[in-house]
Amino acid sequence: MSLKRRQFLFLSSLGTLGTGVLGWTLTRQNNQVANIADSTVIAATPPQNELLLRFASVADTGTGAKGQYAVAEAMNFYHQRNPYDLVVLAGDNIYNDGEIEKIGAVFERPYANLLSQDVKFHACLGNHDIRTENGNPQIKYPGFNMQGRYYTFRRDAVQFFALDTNRNADWKNQVIWLEQELSRSDAPWKVVFGHDPFYSSGHYGVSQSLIKRFVPLFKKYNVQLYINGHDHHYERTSAIEGTTYLTTGSGAGVRPTGRSKWTEYSAERLAFAAYDVYPDRIEVNTMGTDKKIFDKGVIKFKSV
C-alpha cells in the first residue's frame, strides 16, 4: 500500500473517531441536561420514603389499673426508639363515669413520661365520659386538647377530625360540620377518629347507623383511616370503600373478638398502634405489652 493511501486511511479513521467522540460528548451533555431537568422535577415532589408524621392511638384507657400502666410502658418503650409527639385518645378516658377528679390517676400519672416530653394527646368522648356533666369537664381539660365535642386539627400532611359518636350527639349539625371541613381540607391524608366502631368483630359489632351517616362522606372526600375504641380488642380491617377501620380499644383491658370477611388482623391483646405517615402510604405498627410488634399493615395513598 502506498504512503498516500495509508495516510488517507489514517486521517479518515481520525475523522471517524473525532465524530464518535464529539457525538459521545454531545450525548453525555444532553443526558446531563436531561438529568438536571429530571432531578429538578423529582426535587419538587417529596421522596416516597420521607417520613412526614408519626403518631400513636389508644382507647378505653382510663382505669388507672395494671393493664393501663403496662400499655403506657410499651408506649414509652416505642417512643424512645421511634419518637412521636401526638397520641389519638379515642374515648372512655375516665372510668367508670367520667369523673374529672380522677384525671391524675387515669391520665397524668400513667402517661407522665410522654407528657413530660411534650407528647400531645387529642381526645374524644366515650360513653363512660359523658356520665358526668355530659363530658364537659373533659372538654375543658387542657391535657385532652379538645376544641369541642367534635373538632379538627392539622399536623403536617395529615388532617384529623374528632367525632362525638355518643347516642346524645348533635348528629345533624355534626354531619354538616364534617362535610364542610372535609370539603375545604387540602390535606393529602385525612384521619377521622371517634369512640364507637363502624366495623368490629367484637362485642359491639357493625354499626349500621354510623355507616349510613358517615361512610358516604368518607368515600366522597377520601378519608383513608378511621380510628376507634369501645370494643376492647385490636382490629385492623382491609380498605372498605377506600377507608381502613382500626380498633385500638385494648388500652387497659381486653374482651374476646373474632374475625370478619374484612378483617386483616384481630387480637385479644393489650396494645396500642403507631402510624408512620409517608407521601404514598401509612405504615401501621401495633405493639403489645411484651414490647413486640405483633401486627404490621400498610394503608396506601389513593388520590380522589
Side-chain angles (χ1 to χ4, degrees), residues 150 152 159 161 163 171-186 190 192 212-223:
Y150 46 88
T152 184
Q159 186 155 355
F161 306 83
L163 299 182
W171 292 109
K172 181 180 178 181
N173 289 325
Q174 184 173 200
V175 171
I176 293 171
W177 165 85
L178 182 62
E179 177 154 29
Q180 289 175 341
E181 293 297 333
L182 286 171
S183 67
R184 64 169 61 114
S185 174
D186 62 355
K190 299 177 181 68
V192 178
K212 183 179 180 180
R213 283 190 177 102
F214 292 113
V215 166
L217 295 182
F218 288 5
K219 184 177 180 180
K220 181 177 180 180
Y221 296 105
N222 199 29
V223 172

PDB file of all heavy atoms in Angstrom, residues 150 152 159 161 163 171-186 190 192 212-223:
ATOM      1  N   TYR A 150     -66.852  17.870  68.891  1.00  0.00           N
ATOM      2  CA  TYR A 150     -66.229  17.413  67.639  1.00  0.00           C
ATOM      3  C   TYR A 150     -65.390  18.573  67.131  1.00  0.00           C
ATOM      4  O   TYR A 150     -65.744  19.742  67.286  1.00  0.00           O
ATOM      5  CB  TYR A 150     -67.258  16.938  66.612  1.00  0.00           C
ATOM      6  CG  TYR A 150     -68.460  17.838  66.414  1.00  0.00           C
ATOM      7  CD1 TYR A 150     -68.442  18.891  65.484  1.00  0.00           C
ATOM      8  CD2 TYR A 150     -69.630  17.633  67.141  1.00  0.00           C
ATOM      9  CE1 TYR A 150     -69.543  19.697  65.295  1.00  0.00           C
ATOM     10  CE2 TYR A 150     -70.743  18.446  66.966  1.00  0.00           C
ATOM     11  CZ  TYR A 150     -70.701  19.470  66.039  1.00  0.00           C
ATOM     12  OH  TYR A 150     -71.793  20.285  65.857  1.00  0.00           O
ATOM     13  N   THR A 152     -61.498  19.620  64.589  1.00  0.00           N
ATOM     14  CA  THR A 152     -60.472  19.214  63.636  1.00  0.00           C
ATOM     15  C   THR A 152     -59.168  19.939  63.931  1.00  0.00           C
ATOM     16  O   THR A 152     -59.163  21.042  64.479  1.00  0.00           O
ATOM     17  CB  THR A 152     -60.922  19.474  62.180  1.00  0.00           C
ATOM     18  OG1 THR A 152     -59.930  18.975  61.265  1.00  0.00           O
ATOM     19  CG2 THR A 152     -61.125  20.955  61.917  1.00  0.00           C
ATOM     20  N   GLN A 159     -54.730  15.782  58.259  1.00  0.00           N
ATOM     21  CA  GLN A 159     -55.766  16.500  58.983  1.00  0.00           C
ATOM     22  C   GLN A 159     -56.602  15.478  59.745  1.00  0.00           C
ATOM     23  O   GLN A 159     -57.050  14.468  59.192  1.00  0.00           O
ATOM     24  CB  GLN A 159     -56.662  17.325  58.059  1.00  0.00           C
ATOM     25  CG  GLN A 159     -57.649  18.189  58.843  1.00  0.00           C
ATOM     26  CD  GLN A 159     -58.113  19.414  58.093  1.00  0.00           C
ATOM     27  OE1 GLN A 159     -57.636  19.700  57.002  1.00  0.00           O
ATOM     28  NE2 GLN A 159     -59.035  20.161  58.674  1.00  0.00           N
ATOM     29  N   PHE A 161     -59.917  14.609  62.286  1.00  0.00           N
ATOM     30  CA  PHE A 161     -61.285  15.027  62.565  1.00  0.00           C
ATOM     31  C   PHE A 161     -61.808  14.164  63.712  1.00  0.00           C
ATOM     32  O   PHE A 161     -61.928  12.941  63.573  1.00  0.00           O
ATOM     33  CB  PHE A 161     -62.177  14.851  61.332  1.00  0.00           C
ATOM     34  CG  PHE A 161     -61.662  15.532  60.095  1.00  0.00           C
ATOM     35  CD1 PHE A 161     -60.695  14.919  59.292  1.00  0.00           C
ATOM     36  CD2 PHE A 161     -62.127  16.778  59.727  1.00  0.00           C
ATOM     37  CE1 PHE A 161     -60.213  15.534  58.148  1.00  0.00           C
ATOM     38  CE2 PHE A 161     -61.646  17.412  58.580  1.00  0.00           C
ATOM     39  CZ  PHE A 161     -60.689  16.787  57.795  1.00  0.00           C
ATOM     40  N   LEU A 163     -64.768  12.979  66.234  1.00  0.00           N
ATOM     41  CA  LEU A 163     -66.226  12.908  66.253  1.00  0.00           C
ATOM     42  C   LEU A 163     -66.754  12.611  67.653  1.00  0.00           C
ATOM     43  O   LEU A 163     -66.067  11.995  68.470  1.00  0.00           O
ATOM     44  CB  LEU A 163     -66.717  11.809  65.303  1.00  0.00           C
ATOM     45  CG  LEU A 163     -66.375  11.947  63.823  1.00  0.00           C
ATOM     46  CD1 LEU A 163     -66.992  10.782  63.049  1.00  0.00           C
ATOM     47  CD2 LEU A 163     -66.840  13.281  63.260  1.00  0.00           C
ATOM     48  N   TRP A 171     -76.178  15.007  66.051  1.00  0.00           N
ATOM     49  CA  TRP A 171     -75.890  14.334  64.784  1.00  0.00           C
ATOM     50  C   TRP A 171     -76.080  15.236  63.578  1.00  0.00           C
ATOM     51  O   TRP A 171     -75.243  15.253  62.667  1.00  0.00           O
ATOM     52  CB  TRP A 171     -76.760  13.091  64.648  1.00  0.00           C
ATOM     53  CG  TRP A 171     -76.414  12.021  65.633  1.00  0.00           C
ATOM     54  CD1 TRP A 171     -77.150  11.614  66.715  1.00  0.00           C
ATOM     55  CD2 TRP A 171     -75.216  11.238  65.656  1.00  0.00           C
ATOM     56  NE1 TRP A 171     -76.491  10.623  67.397  1.00  0.00           N
ATOM     57  CE2 TRP A 171     -75.305  10.372  66.772  1.00  0.00           C
ATOM     58  CE3 TRP A 171     -74.081  11.187  64.853  1.00  0.00           C
ATOM     59  CZ2 TRP A 171     -74.303   9.463  67.094  1.00  0.00           C
ATOM     60  CZ3 TRP A 171     -73.079  10.277  65.163  1.00  0.00           C
ATOM     61  CH2 TRP A 171     -73.195   9.433  66.269  1.00  0.00           C
ATOM     62  N   LYS A 172     -77.181  15.961  63.534  1.00  0.00           N
ATOM     63  CA  LYS A 172     -77.488  16.770  62.358  1.00  0.00           C
ATOM     64  C   LYS A 172     -76.392  17.790  62.078  1.00  0.00           C
ATOM     65  O   LYS A 172     -75.843  17.850  60.972  1.00  0.00           O
ATOM     66  CB  LYS A 172     -78.837  17.470  62.535  1.00  0.00           C
ATOM     67  CG  LYS A 172     -79.241  18.329  61.334  1.00  0.00           C
ATOM     68  CD  LYS A 172     -80.584  19.004  61.564  1.00  0.00           C
ATOM     69  CE  LYS A 172     -80.941  19.890  60.377  1.00  0.00           C
ATOM     70  NZ  LYS A 172     -82.269  20.577  60.604  1.00  0.00           N
ATOM     71  N   ASN A 173     -76.053  18.588  63.082  1.00  0.00           N
ATOM     72  CA  ASN A 173     -75.044  19.629  62.878  1.00  0.00           C
ATOM     73  C   ASN A 173     -73.647  19.053  62.713  1.00  0.00           C
ATOM     74  O   ASN A 173     -72.814  19.623  62.000  1.00  0.00           O
ATOM     75  CB  ASN A 173     -75.081  20.630  64.035  1.00  0.00           C
ATOM     76  CG  ASN A 173     -76.309  21.508  64.004  1.00  0.00           C
ATOM     77  OD1 ASN A 173     -76.786  21.879  62.932  1.00  0.00           O
ATOM     78  ND2 ASN A 173     -76.858  21.833  65.157  1.00  0.00           N
ATOM     79  N   GLN A 174     -73.391  17.929  63.376  1.00  0.00           N
ATOM     80  CA  GLN A 174     -72.066  17.316  63.273  1.00  0.00           C
ATOM     81  C   GLN A 174     -71.802  16.801  61.860  1.00  0.00           C
ATOM     82  O   GLN A 174     -70.698  16.971  61.330  1.00  0.00           O
ATOM     83  CB  GLN A 174     -71.933  16.170  64.281  1.00  0.00           C
ATOM     84  CG  GLN A 174     -70.557  15.539  64.301  1.00  0.00           C
ATOM     85  CD  GLN A 174     -70.378  14.520  65.409  1.00  0.00           C
ATOM     86  OE1 GLN A 174     -69.253  14.189  65.786  1.00  0.00           O
ATOM     87  NE2 GLN A 174     -71.470  14.004  65.955  1.00  0.00           N
ATOM     88  N   VAL A 175     -72.787  16.187  61.237  1.00  0.00           N
ATOM     89  CA  VAL A 175     -72.627  15.686  59.864  1.00  0.00           C
ATOM     90  C   VAL A 175     -72.411  16.856  58.903  1.00  0.00           C
ATOM     91  O   VAL A 175     -71.555  16.800  58.013  1.00  0.00           O
ATOM     92  CB  VAL A 175     -73.845  14.838  59.449  1.00  0.00           C
ATOM     93  CG1 VAL A 175     -73.776  14.496  57.961  1.00  0.00           C
ATOM     94  CG2 VAL A 175     -73.900  13.555  60.268  1.00  0.00           C
ATOM     95  N   ILE A 176     -73.174  17.929  59.087  1.00  0.00           N
ATOM     96  CA  ILE A 176     -72.996  19.126  58.247  1.00  0.00           C
ATOM     97  C   ILE A 176     -71.597  19.697  58.434  1.00  0.00           C
ATOM     98  O   ILE A 176     -70.909  20.040  57.460  1.00  0.00           O
ATOM     99  CB  ILE A 176     -74.063  20.182  58.588  1.00  0.00           C
ATOM    100  CG1 ILE A 176     -75.449  19.688  58.189  1.00  0.00           C
ATOM    101  CG2 ILE A 176     -73.746  21.515  57.900  1.00  0.00           C
ATOM    102  CD1 ILE A 176     -76.582  20.569  58.686  1.00  0.00           C
ATOM    103  N   TRP A 177     -71.178  19.797  59.698  1.00  0.00           N
ATOM    104  CA  TRP A 177     -69.838  20.314  60.009  1.00  0.00           C
ATOM    105  C   TRP A 177     -68.757  19.463  59.358  1.00  0.00           C
ATOM    106  O   TRP A 177     -67.816  20.001  58.746  1.00  0.00           O
ATOM    107  CB  TRP A 177     -69.641  20.338  61.515  1.00  0.00           C
ATOM    108  CG  TRP A 177     -68.205  20.517  61.943  1.00  0.00           C
ATOM    109  CD1 TRP A 177     -67.530  21.687  62.083  1.00  0.00           C
ATOM    110  CD2 TRP A 177     -67.274  19.472  62.258  1.00  0.00           C
ATOM    111  NE1 TRP A 177     -66.228  21.444  62.467  1.00  0.00           N
ATOM    112  CE2 TRP A 177     -66.040  20.092  62.585  1.00  0.00           C
ATOM    113  CE3 TRP A 177     -67.355  18.077  62.310  1.00  0.00           C
ATOM    114  CZ2 TRP A 177     -64.909  19.365  62.946  1.00  0.00           C
ATOM    115  CZ3 TRP A 177     -66.227  17.350  62.661  1.00  0.00           C
ATOM    116  CH2 TRP A 177     -65.025  17.998  62.986  1.00  0.00           C
ATOM    117  N   LEU A 178     -68.872  18.131  59.477  1.00  0.00           N
ATOM    118  CA  LEU A 178     -67.839  17.254  58.931  1.00  0.00           C
ATOM    119  C   LEU A 178     -67.722  17.411  57.425  1.00  0.00           C
ATOM    120  O   LEU A 178     -66.607  17.496  56.890  1.00  0.00           O
ATOM    121  CB  LEU A 178     -68.130  15.797  59.291  1.00  0.00           C
ATOM    122  CG  LEU A 178     -67.080  14.797  58.795  1.00  0.00           C
ATOM    123  CD1 LEU A 178     -65.719  15.079  59.424  1.00  0.00           C
ATOM    124  CD2 LEU A 178     -67.511  13.355  59.088  1.00  0.00           C
ATOM    125  N   GLU A 179     -68.853  17.479  56.729  1.00  0.00           N
ATOM    126  CA  GLU A 179     -68.779  17.632  55.275  1.00  0.00           C
ATOM    127  C   GLU A 179     -68.132  18.965  54.903  1.00  0.00           C
ATOM    128  O   GLU A 179     -67.320  19.028  53.974  1.00  0.00           O
ATOM    129  CB  GLU A 179     -70.150  17.522  54.635  1.00  0.00           C
ATOM    130  CG  GLU A 179     -70.101  17.743  53.121  1.00  0.00           C
ATOM    131  CD  GLU A 179     -71.210  17.081  52.352  1.00  0.00           C
ATOM    132  OE1 GLU A 179     -72.301  16.910  52.923  1.00  0.00           O
ATOM    133  OE2 GLU A 179     -70.988  16.746  51.160  1.00  0.00           O
ATOM    134  N   GLN A 180     -68.460  20.017  55.632  1.00  0.00           N
ATOM    135  CA  GLN A 180     -67.853  21.316  55.343  1.00  0.00           C
ATOM    136  C   GLN A 180     -66.341  21.276  55.552  1.00  0.00           C
ATOM    137  O   GLN A 180     -65.574  21.784  54.725  1.00  0.00           O
ATOM    138  CB  GLN A 180     -68.472  22.391  56.236  1.00  0.00           C
ATOM    139  CG  GLN A 180     -69.906  22.741  55.882  1.00  0.00           C
ATOM    140  CD  GLN A 180     -70.531  23.715  56.859  1.00  0.00           C
ATOM    141  OE1 GLN A 180     -70.055  23.881  57.990  1.00  0.00           O
ATOM    142  NE2 GLN A 180     -71.604  24.385  56.454  1.00  0.00           N
ATOM    143  N   GLU A 181     -65.915  20.669  56.657  1.00  0.00           N
ATOM    144  CA  GLU A 181     -64.488  20.613  56.952  1.00  0.00           C
ATOM    145  C   GLU A 181     -63.737  19.714  55.975  1.00  0.00           C
ATOM    146  O   GLU A 181     -62.626  20.033  55.534  1.00  0.00           O
ATOM    147  CB  GLU A 181     -64.270  20.135  58.389  1.00  0.00           C
ATOM    148  CG  GLU A 181     -64.744  21.099  59.464  1.00  0.00           C
ATOM    149  CD  GLU A 181     -63.985  22.421  59.446  1.00  0.00           C
ATOM    150  OE1 GLU A 181     -62.820  22.440  59.006  1.00  0.00           O
ATOM    151  OE2 GLU A 181     -64.569  23.433  59.883  1.00  0.00           O
ATOM    152  N   LEU A 182     -64.326  18.587  55.625  1.00  0.00           N
ATOM    153  CA  LEU A 182     -63.687  17.695  54.656  1.00  0.00           C
ATOM    154  C   LEU A 182     -63.588  18.356  53.286  1.00  0.00           C
ATOM    155  O   LEU A 182     -62.576  18.229  52.591  1.00  0.00           O
ATOM    156  CB  LEU A 182     -64.472  16.389  54.538  1.00  0.00           C
ATOM    157  CG  LEU A 182     -64.355  15.403  55.700  1.00  0.00           C
ATOM    158  CD1 LEU A 182     -65.354  14.262  55.532  1.00  0.00           C
ATOM    159  CD2 LEU A 182     -62.935  14.845  55.815  1.00  0.00           C
ATOM    160  N   SER A 183     -64.626  19.069  52.890  1.00  0.00           N
ATOM    161  CA  SER A 183     -64.654  19.677  51.554  1.00  0.00           C
ATOM    162  C   SER A 183     -63.611  20.776  51.404  1.00  0.00           C
ATOM    163  O   SER A 183     -63.095  21.007  50.306  1.00  0.00           O
ATOM    164  CB  SER A 183     -66.045  20.231  51.244  1.00  0.00           C
ATOM    165  OG  SER A 183     -66.355  21.326  52.094  1.00  0.00           O
ATOM    166  N   ARG A 184     -63.302  21.478  52.496  1.00  0.00           N
ATOM    167  CA  ARG A 184     -62.335  22.572  52.399  1.00  0.00           C
ATOM    168  C   ARG A 184     -60.904  22.139  52.719  1.00  0.00           C
ATOM    169  O   ARG A 184     -59.966  22.911  52.563  1.00  0.00           O
ATOM    170  CB  ARG A 184     -62.734  23.732  53.312  1.00  0.00           C
ATOM    171  CG  ARG A 184     -62.730  23.419  54.812  1.00  0.00           C
ATOM    172  CD  ARG A 184     -62.875  24.710  55.624  1.00  0.00           C
ATOM    173  NE  ARG A 184     -64.103  25.391  55.333  1.00  0.00           N
ATOM    174  CZ  ARG A 184     -65.108  25.563  56.193  1.00  0.00           C
ATOM    175  NH1 ARG A 184     -65.008  25.084  57.428  1.00  0.00           N
ATOM    176  NH2 ARG A 184     -66.193  26.210  55.853  1.00  0.00           N
ATOM    177  N   SER A 185     -60.721  20.899  53.142  1.00  0.00           N
ATOM    178  CA  SER A 185     -59.385  20.427  53.500  1.00  0.00           C
ATOM    179  C   SER A 185     -58.572  20.082  52.252  1.00  0.00           C
ATOM    180  O   SER A 185     -59.057  19.390  51.358  1.00  0.00           O
ATOM    181  CB  SER A 185     -59.483  19.184  54.390  1.00  0.00           C
ATOM    182  OG  SER A 185     -58.189  18.645  54.622  1.00  0.00           O
ATOM    183  N   ASP A 186     -57.333  20.569  52.224  1.00  0.00           N
ATOM    184  CA  ASP A 186     -56.423  20.199  51.145  1.00  0.00           C
ATOM    185  C   ASP A 186     -55.325  19.251  51.638  1.00  0.00           C
ATOM    186  O   ASP A 186     -54.312  19.043  50.961  1.00  0.00           O
ATOM    187  CB  ASP A 186     -55.797  21.438  50.504  1.00  0.00           C
ATOM    188  CG  ASP A 186     -54.949  22.253  51.485  1.00  0.00           C
ATOM    189  OD1 ASP A 186     -54.915  21.908  52.699  1.00  0.00           O
ATOM    190  OD2 ASP A 186     -54.310  23.233  51.053  1.00  0.00           O
ATOM    191  N   LYS A 190     -56.371  12.232  55.378  1.00  0.00           N
ATOM    192  CA  LYS A 190     -57.491  12.600  56.246  1.00  0.00           C
ATOM    193  C   LYS A 190     -57.774  11.421  57.178  1.00  0.00           C
ATOM    194  O   LYS A 190     -58.069  10.317  56.726  1.00  0.00           O
ATOM    195  CB  LYS A 190     -58.721  12.961  55.431  1.00  0.00           C
ATOM    196  CG  LYS A 190     -58.510  14.162  54.504  1.00  0.00           C
ATOM    197  CD  LYS A 190     -59.744  14.432  53.669  1.00  0.00           C
ATOM    198  CE  LYS A 190     -59.521  15.612  52.733  1.00  0.00           C
ATOM    199  NZ  LYS A 190     -58.532  15.315  51.680  1.00  0.00           N
ATOM    200  N   VAL A 192     -60.036  10.284  60.553  1.00  0.00           N
ATOM    201  CA  VAL A 192     -61.162  10.566  61.440  1.00  0.00           C
ATOM    202  C   VAL A 192     -61.066   9.629  62.636  1.00  0.00           C
ATOM    203  O   VAL A 192     -60.676   8.468  62.501  1.00  0.00           O
ATOM    204  CB  VAL A 192     -62.504  10.372  60.708  1.00  0.00           C
ATOM    205  CG1 VAL A 192     -63.685  10.625  61.653  1.00  0.00           C
ATOM    206  CG2 VAL A 192     -62.600  11.295  59.493  1.00  0.00           C
ATOM    207  N   LYS A 212     -74.268   4.539  57.779  1.00  0.00           N
ATOM    208  CA  LYS A 212     -75.203   5.333  56.971  1.00  0.00           C
ATOM    209  C   LYS A 212     -74.886   6.815  57.037  1.00  0.00           C
ATOM    210  O   LYS A 212     -74.943   7.524  56.030  1.00  0.00           O
ATOM    211  CB  LYS A 212     -76.634   5.066  57.447  1.00  0.00           C
ATOM    212  CG  LYS A 212     -77.699   5.783  56.631  1.00  0.00           C
ATOM    213  CD  LYS A 212     -79.094   5.446  57.135  1.00  0.00           C
ATOM    214  CE  LYS A 212     -80.165   6.170  56.326  1.00  0.00           C
ATOM    215  NZ  LYS A 212     -81.535   5.847  56.826  1.00  0.00           N
ATOM    216  N   ARG A 213     -74.532   7.287  58.237  1.00  0.00           N
ATOM    217  CA  ARG A 213     -74.269   8.720  58.409  1.00  0.00           C
ATOM    218  C   ARG A 213     -72.964   9.169  57.760  1.00  0.00           C
ATOM    219  O   ARG A 213     -72.887  10.239  57.162  1.00  0.00           O
ATOM    220  CB  ARG A 213     -74.221   9.071  59.895  1.00  0.00           C
ATOM    221  CG  ARG A 213     -75.566   9.167  60.582  1.00  0.00           C
ATOM    222  CD  ARG A 213     -75.403   9.747  61.972  1.00  0.00           C
ATOM    223  NE  ARG A 213     -76.696   9.925  62.627  1.00  0.00           N
ATOM    224  CZ  ARG A 213     -77.192   9.116  63.552  1.00  0.00           C
ATOM    225  NH1 ARG A 213     -76.480   8.065  63.953  1.00  0.00           N
ATOM    226  NH2 ARG A 213     -78.370   9.336  64.078  1.00  0.00           N
ATOM    227  N   PHE A 214     -71.908   8.360  57.919  1.00  0.00           N
ATOM    228  CA  PHE A 214     -70.569   8.878  57.625  1.00  0.00           C
ATOM    229  C   PHE A 214     -69.839   8.234  56.441  1.00  0.00           C
ATOM    230  O   PHE A 214     -69.002   8.888  55.827  1.00  0.00           O
ATOM    231  CB  PHE A 214     -69.688   8.753  58.871  1.00  0.00           C
ATOM    232  CG  PHE A 214     -70.102   9.653  59.996  1.00  0.00           C
ATOM    233  CD1 PHE A 214     -70.602   9.130  61.173  1.00  0.00           C
ATOM    234  CD2 PHE A 214     -70.003  11.030  59.873  1.00  0.00           C
ATOM    235  CE1 PHE A 214     -70.986   9.959  62.225  1.00  0.00           C
ATOM    236  CE2 PHE A 214     -70.377  11.875  60.906  1.00  0.00           C
ATOM    237  CZ  PHE A 214     -70.877  11.337  62.085  1.00  0.00           C
ATOM    238  N   VAL A 215     -70.120   6.983  56.131  1.00  0.00           N
ATOM    239  CA  VAL A 215     -69.354   6.327  55.075  1.00  0.00           C
ATOM    240  C   VAL A 215     -69.484   7.037  53.721  1.00  0.00           C
ATOM    241  O   VAL A 215     -68.482   7.165  52.995  1.00  0.00           O
ATOM    242  CB  VAL A 215     -69.725   4.827  54.969  1.00  0.00           C
ATOM    243  CG1 VAL A 215     -69.197   4.225  53.662  1.00  0.00           C
ATOM    244  CG2 VAL A 215     -69.138   4.063  56.158  1.00  0.00           C
ATOM    245  N   PRO A 216     -70.667   7.528  53.340  1.00  0.00           N
ATOM    246  CA  PRO A 216     -70.721   8.291  52.073  1.00  0.00           C
ATOM    247  C   PRO A 216     -69.779   9.492  52.061  1.00  0.00           C
ATOM    248  O   PRO A 216     -69.176   9.802  51.023  1.00  0.00           O
ATOM    249  CB  PRO A 216     -72.192   8.728  52.002  1.00  0.00           C
ATOM    250  CG  PRO A 216     -72.928   7.693  52.779  1.00  0.00           C
ATOM    251  CD  PRO A 216     -72.012   7.344  53.921  1.00  0.00           C
ATOM    252  N   LEU A 217     -69.642  10.172  53.212  1.00  0.00           N
ATOM    253  CA  LEU A 217     -68.710  11.309  53.287  1.00  0.00           C
ATOM    254  C   LEU A 217     -67.272  10.832  53.220  1.00  0.00           C
ATOM    255  O   LEU A 217     -66.420  11.462  52.576  1.00  0.00           O
ATOM    256  CB  LEU A 217     -68.935  12.101  54.572  1.00  0.00           C
ATOM    257  CG  LEU A 217     -70.274  12.811  54.715  1.00  0.00           C
ATOM    258  CD1 LEU A 217     -70.317  13.595  56.028  1.00  0.00           C
ATOM    259  CD2 LEU A 217     -70.517  13.753  53.545  1.00  0.00           C
ATOM    260  N   PHE A 218     -66.964   9.738  53.913  1.00  0.00           N
ATOM    261  CA  PHE A 218     -65.605   9.185  53.874  1.00  0.00           C
ATOM    262  C   PHE A 218     -65.210   8.860  52.435  1.00  0.00           C
ATOM    263  O   PHE A 218     -64.087   9.127  52.002  1.00  0.00           O
ATOM    264  CB  PHE A 218     -65.516   7.910  54.717  1.00  0.00           C
ATOM    265  CG  PHE A 218     -65.574   8.133  56.210  1.00  0.00           C
ATOM    266  CD1 PHE A 218     -65.805   9.390  56.755  1.00  0.00           C
ATOM    267  CD2 PHE A 218     -65.385   7.072  57.083  1.00  0.00           C
ATOM    268  CE1 PHE A 218     -65.847   9.592  58.131  1.00  0.00           C
ATOM    269  CE2 PHE A 218     -65.422   7.257  58.461  1.00  0.00           C
ATOM    270  CZ  PHE A 218     -65.660   8.512  58.982  1.00  0.00           C
ATOM    271  N   LYS A 219     -66.142   8.262  51.714  1.00  0.00           N
ATOM    272  CA  LYS A 219     -65.874   7.875  50.326  1.00  0.00           C
ATOM    273  C   LYS A 219     -65.734   9.104  49.424  1.00  0.00           C
ATOM    274  O   LYS A 219     -64.816   9.190  48.610  1.00  0.00           O
ATOM    275  CB  LYS A 219     -66.983   6.961  49.824  1.00  0.00           C
ATOM    276  CG  LYS A 219     -66.761   6.409  48.429  1.00  0.00           C
ATOM    277  CD  LYS A 219     -67.888   5.457  48.040  1.00  0.00           C
ATOM    278  CE  LYS A 219     -67.661   4.901  46.632  1.00  0.00           C
ATOM    279  NZ  LYS A 219     -68.771   3.962  46.253  1.00  0.00           N
ATOM    280  N   LYS A 220     -66.626  10.056  49.589  1.00  0.00           N
ATOM    281  CA  LYS A 220     -66.641  11.244  48.733  1.00  0.00           C
ATOM    282  C   LYS A 220     -65.383  12.081  48.898  1.00  0.00           C
ATOM    283  O   LYS A 220     -64.836  12.607  47.919  1.00  0.00           O
ATOM    284  CB  LYS A 220     -67.874  12.084  49.050  1.00  0.00           C
ATOM    285  CG  LYS A 220     -68.011  13.337  48.194  1.00  0.00           C
ATOM    286  CD  LYS A 220     -69.300  14.077  48.526  1.00  0.00           C
ATOM    287  CE  LYS A 220     -69.458  15.335  47.676  1.00  0.00           C
ATOM    288  NZ  LYS A 220     -70.730  16.057  47.998  1.00  0.00           N
ATOM    289  N   TYR A 221     -64.893  12.204  50.147  1.00  0.00           N
ATOM    290  CA  TYR A 221     -63.772  13.098  50.432  1.00  0.00           C
ATOM    291  C   TYR A 221     -62.476  12.351  50.759  1.00  0.00           C
ATOM    292  O   TYR A 221     -61.536  12.936  51.278  1.00  0.00           O
ATOM    293  CB  TYR A 221     -64.141  14.056  51.566  1.00  0.00           C
ATOM    294  CG  TYR A 221     -65.276  14.978  51.178  1.00  0.00           C
ATOM    295  CD1 TYR A 221     -66.562  14.772  51.685  1.00  0.00           C
ATOM    296  CD2 TYR A 221     -65.067  16.029  50.292  1.00  0.00           C
ATOM    297  CE1 TYR A 221     -67.612  15.610  51.324  1.00  0.00           C
ATOM    298  CE2 TYR A 221     -66.105  16.869  49.929  1.00  0.00           C
ATOM    299  CZ  TYR A 221     -67.375  16.659  50.442  1.00  0.00           C
ATOM    300  OH  TYR A 221     -68.412  17.494  50.078  1.00  0.00           O
ATOM    301  N   ASN A 222     -62.461  11.057  50.453  1.00  0.00           N
ATOM    302  CA  ASN A 222     -61.221  10.286  50.511  1.00  0.00           C
ATOM    303  C   ASN A 222     -60.608  10.238  51.915  1.00  0.00           C
ATOM    304  O   ASN A 222     -59.425  10.540  52.116  1.00  0.00           O
ATOM    305  CB  ASN A 222     -60.192  10.841  49.516  1.00  0.00           C
ATOM    306  CG  ASN A 222     -59.105   9.838  49.200  1.00  0.00           C
ATOM    307  OD1 ASN A 222     -59.316   8.627  49.239  1.00  0.00           O
ATOM    308  ND2 ASN A 222     -57.914  10.329  48.882  1.00  0.00           N
ATOM    309  N   VAL A 223     -61.417   9.869  52.900  1.00  0.00           N
ATOM    310  CA  VAL A 223     -60.900   9.608  54.246  1.00  0.00           C
ATOM    311  C   VAL A 223     -60.244   8.237  54.226  1.00  0.00           C
ATOM    312  O   VAL A 223     -60.888   7.231  53.946  1.00  0.00           O
ATOM    313  CB  VAL A 223     -62.037   9.645  55.293  1.00  0.00           C
ATOM    314  CG1 VAL A 223     -61.522   9.179  56.653  1.00  0.00           C
ATOM    315  CG2 VAL A 223     -62.616  11.048  55.386  1.00  0.00           C
TER     316      VAL A 223
END
